[in-house]
Amino acid sequence: MSDIVQKLWGFCHTLRHDGIDYGDYIEQITYLLFIKMADERNVKLPDGCDWKTLIDKSGTDLTDTYVDVLRKLGTQKGLLGDIFAGALSRFTNPVNLKRLIGLIDETEWTELDIDVKGEAFEGLLEKAASEGKKGAGQYFTPRILIQSIVRCMKPDPRKKADFTICDPACGTGGFLVCSYEWLLEQTKGGALERDVALRVMTGKTYFGQELVARPRRLALMNLFLHNVEPVIKFGDSIYENPDSQRFDVVLTNPPFGTKGANQAPDREDFTISTSNKQLNFVQHVITILKPGGRAAVVVPDNVLFADQAGEVFKVLTEDCNLHTILRLPNGTFTPYSPGTKTNVLFFTKGYSTETIWVYDGRTNVPGITKKDRPLTPAYFTEFEKLYGADPNGGSKRNSADSKEDRWHSFHISEVKEKNYKIDSLKWLTDNTLDDADSLPEPEELAVEAIEELRAAVDELQKVVVLLENGNGDSAASEGKR
């Protein structure tokens, strides 16, 4: 697997000189890999769009033919049209295109085990996210974190015939892929029962939505390489009203930051009107869960103390059992978004919250770094054991079971006293502030400062709006709050 990744990735550096960035490169590999595998599987493609046509061409004839192939495939129905919709060639030099086609042609992809070719593509996605850095964290969640969440949540479509799993901000499909890989692990090497396999392979189990065309395309290809056909809608999960479909399990890492969040969405199902994207994603997940359905949602720290956070979490704890919060180590998203402090919310719809268990995997834990302290499964071993076997958080729990007092429970009455500000649920003393070697990286401090400034600006903007509307008294009280 690593040889395939290294070979394809090594050529990417050559293409950088042709103006093709990491994301473009993975996208072009997606197109060519799909066509190659269709040829290996004897899948009928439109005339002139097969692998042999590309192999036989060279020079400008190749680049012109490639453009035509992408255009034709983008007009097809089903998965084919979804993957190639709006597809464009990024090659200006036919020699580079010919070389990439040759590299892909060297491997018989359909003869590889599902996990090998799937991991090869995942490896390329991870490298692109790591090398590209800027903005990649919103599309790529560390697989070690996803796998830990999935082990806790147990998204098992064998439980019932209409069992569905959804990621409404699916990026490149990591949560959906890891959910399927977890399912295969449960069979202990055996095959899935025929009815389960049929549902998985015909778009009846794994669902998603993605706002940006490229990651959606990569997600579709990612799952295709794992022999899964998902349904991944192209659109905005927050500003578009959802359809009537509801899900048994929702696993998601909504994009960080405030970009695009200029106004509150017009959604009747949202109890709290706010322009905060992450708070709106929490409300959206509540909506799309079936009664009794469960969710795990990654959120940055600022969501826990942002304006209106208390109101949204009040709704969440009344409509759902917010049974567990995992406070992630600093740098979990290194190198994609190293300064963002994050948490995972685990909740089940239809039961009000009585007790919230918090696992603090951050305080007095050295931050994750790309080289010296990379993220490993060991960071989540104790948490998974304490979480228990019940995916709905119903296993017997005891704070004494944590070696370093990292596991603590809070009754809902304590949460109410704190105005539902979840960030205040703390009990450990942070000793790293006195240790110069453990001080946060400058980038991390900068991200924190920016988040606090954005929160302050949001508050000021609301005051300005109130003043413009002539509600001076209300504005004054808002400012004092």
Side-chain angles (χ1 to χ4, degrees), residues 156-163 180 183 187 191-206:
D156 195 345
R158 297 173 300 175
K159 295 296 183 182
K160 55 180 182 176
D162 62 346
F163 194 95
Y180 177 66
L183 174 63
T187 66
L192 293 172
E193 292 185 8
R194 191 170 182 275
D195 66 316
V196 177
L198 186 62
R199 281 188 276 125
V200 165
M201 296 176 186
T202 55
K204 295 178 180 177
T205 302
Y206 298 98

Side-chain angles (χ1 to χ4, degrees), residues 9 35 42 141 166 171 193 250 263 276 286 307 332 358 363 423:
W9 190 252
I35 298 169
N42 295 315
T141 305
C166 178
E193 292 185 8
V250 174
Q263 62 183 27
N276 185 295
I286 296 173
D307 182 55
T332 294
V358 181
T363 304
D423 66 305

Side-chain angles (χ1 to χ4, degrees), residues 408-424:
H408 198 82
S409 64
F410 295 86
H411 189 266
I412 190 62
S413 60
E414 297 177 79
V415 180
K416 288 179 181 177
E417 288 176 5
K418 298 176 185 294
N419 296 318
Y420 297 91
K421 291 300 178 79
I422 305 298
D423 66 305
S424 62

Side-chain angles (χ1 to χ4, degrees), residues 243-411:
D243 58 26
S244 60
Q245 186 169 19
R246 300 294 180 259
F247 305 95
D248 294 278
V249 175
V250 174
L251 307 171
T252 190
N253 172 23
F256 302 150
T258 58
K259 185 178 180 181
N262 297 320
Q263 62 183 27
D266 184 15
R267 293 268 298 262
E268 291 184 0
D269 57 311
F270 283 7
T271 305
I272 307 302
S273 179
T274 174
S275 61
N276 185 295
K277 284 198 301 185
Q278 288 83 20
L279 289 177
N280 282 326
F281 259 104
V282 171
Q283 295 191 91
H284 178 68
V285 172
I286 296 173
T287 291
I288 64 174
L289 277 174
K290 293 178 182 178
R294 57 188 181 272
V297 183
V298 180
V299 296
D301 265 22
N302 66 341
V303 172
L304 306 183
F305 59 77
D307 182 55
Q308 295 179 293
E311 297 172 63
V312 171
F313 278 94
K314 181 177 185 293
V315 172
L316 175 62
T317 54
E318 289 173 347
D319 293 352
C320 302
N321 179 17
L322 175 60
H323 51 79
T324 311
I325 297 174
L326 167 61
R327 190 167 290 137
L328 296 170
N330 287 328
T332 294
F333 281 79
T334 297
Y336 324 118
S337 185
T340 304
K341 295 183 178 181
T342 47
N343 313 265
V344 186
L345 311 176
F346 296 84
F347 54 90
T348 303
K349 183 176 178 177
Y351 308 91
S352 60
T353 304
E354 294 183 4
T355 302
I356 300 176
W357 283 86
V358 181
Y359 185 85
D360 188 344
R362 180 187 308 165
T363 304
N364 300 322
V365 174
I368 306 298
T369 62
K370 185 175 180 180
K371 294 181 179 179
D372 298 332
R373 291 188 299 270
L375 188 68
T376 66
Y379 280 92
F380 305 118
T381 300
E382 184 181 65
F383 168 71
E384 290 178 34
K385 181 179 179 182
L386 296 170
Y387 186 97
D390 184 352
N392 292 305
S395 298
K396 185 177 180 180
R397 295 173 166 184
N398 190 332
S399 58
D401 292 337
S402 175
K403 294 179 181 178
E404 299 179 351
D405 191 28
R406 296 193 174 279
W407 189 228
H408 198 82
S409 64
F410 295 86
H411 189 266

Side-chain angles (χ1 to χ4, degrees), residues 20-323:
I20 299 177
D21 66 20
Y22 297 111
D24 288 334
Y25 181 51
I26 303 300
E27 200 167 35
Q28 300 304 309
I29 287 177
T30 297
Y31 303 148
L32 294 169
L33 196 54
F34 189 98
I35 298 169
K36 174 67 159 61
M37 291 182 66
D39 177 71
E40 293 175 2
R41 293 175 175 176
N42 295 315
V43 174
K44 176 69 175 172
L45 295 178
D47 291 342
C49 294
D50 56 278
W51 188 247
K52 187 176 185 306
T53 297
L54 293 175
I55 283 287
D56 291 343
K57 303 286 184 182
S58 61
T60 55
D61 192 21
L62 172 60
T63 50
D64 291 344
T65 299
Y66 181 53
V67 169
D68 287 339
V69 167
L70 296 182
R71 180 181 52 78
K72 287 181 183 177
L73 293 177
T75 64
Q76 303 303 301
K77 295 180 180 179
L79 181 63
L80 189 61
D82 283 341
I83 288 180
F84 288 90
L88 297 172
S89 170
R90 299 297 180 186
F91 289 93
T92 56
N93 187 337
V95 173
N96 287 333
L97 175 57
K98 185 74 174 176
R99 173 80 189 283
L100 181 57
I101 289 173
L103 285 173
I104 292 175
D105 195 51
E106 290 174 6
T107 301
E108 285 293 311
W109 292 86
T110 52
E111 291 184 2
L112 296 175
D113 289 340
I114 292 173
D115 60 338
V116 174
K117 64 192 176 195
E119 283 182 29
F121 195 71
E122 284 268 296
L124 288 169
L125 292 175
E126 185 169 10
K127 276 186 169 291
S130 176
E131 297 292 336
K133 292 185 182 179
K134 187 176 180 181
Q138 64 182 311
Y139 303 133
F140 193 91
T141 305
R143 292 302 176 254
I144 288 170
L145 171 59
I146 291 179
Q147 288 161 353
S148 177
I149 292 171
V150 167
R151 284 192 291 269
C152 291
M153 294 296 285
K154 297 179 173 58
D156 195 345
R158 297 173 300 175
K159 295 296 183 182
K160 55 180 182 176
D162 62 346
F163 194 95
T164 51
I165 303 154
C166 178
D167 181 351
C170 71
T172 55
F175 275 107
L176 299 178
V177 166
C178 288
S179 294
Y180 177 66
E181 289 175 340
W182 175 86
L183 174 63
L184 295 182
E185 289 172 6
Q186 305 315 300
T187 66
K188 295 180 171 58
L192 293 172
E193 292 185 8
R194 191 170 182 275
D195 66 316
V196 177
L198 186 62
R199 281 188 276 125
V200 165
M201 296 176 186
T202 55
K204 295 178 180 177
T205 302
Y206 298 98
F207 296 82
Q209 186 155 334
E210 176 53 48
L211 177 62
V212 182
R214 175 181 287 173
R216 174 180 180 261
R217 193 191 318 279
L218 299 179
L220 289 165
M221 187 64 190
N222 199 0
L223 285 142
F224 171 75
L225 288 172
H226 286 82
N227 279 5
V228 175
E229 183 170 335
V231 174
I232 298 179
K233 295 180 180 178
F234 181 48
D236 193 316
S237 292
I238 299 304
Y239 286 91
E240 298 171 7
N241 285 297
D243 58 26
S244 60
Q245 186 169 19
R246 300 294 180 259
F247 305 95
D248 294 278
V249 175
V250 174
L251 307 171
T252 190
N253 172 23
F256 302 150
T258 58
K259 185 178 180 181
N262 297 320
Q263 62 183 27
D266 184 15
R267 293 268 298 262
E268 291 184 0
D269 57 311
F270 283 7
T271 305
I272 307 302
S273 179
T274 174
S275 61
N276 185 295
K277 284 198 301 185
Q278 288 83 20
L279 289 177
N280 282 326
F281 259 104
V282 171
Q283 295 191 91
H284 178 68
V285 172
I286 296 173
T287 291
I288 64 174
L289 277 174
K290 293 178 182 178
R294 57 188 181 272
V297 183
V298 180
V299 296
D301 265 22
N302 66 341
V303 172
L304 306 183
F305 59 77
D307 182 55
Q308 295 179 293
E311 297 172 63
V312 171
F313 278 94
K314 181 177 185 293
V315 172
L316 175 62
T317 54
E318 289 173 347
D319 293 352
C320 302
N321 179 17
L322 175 60
H323 51 79

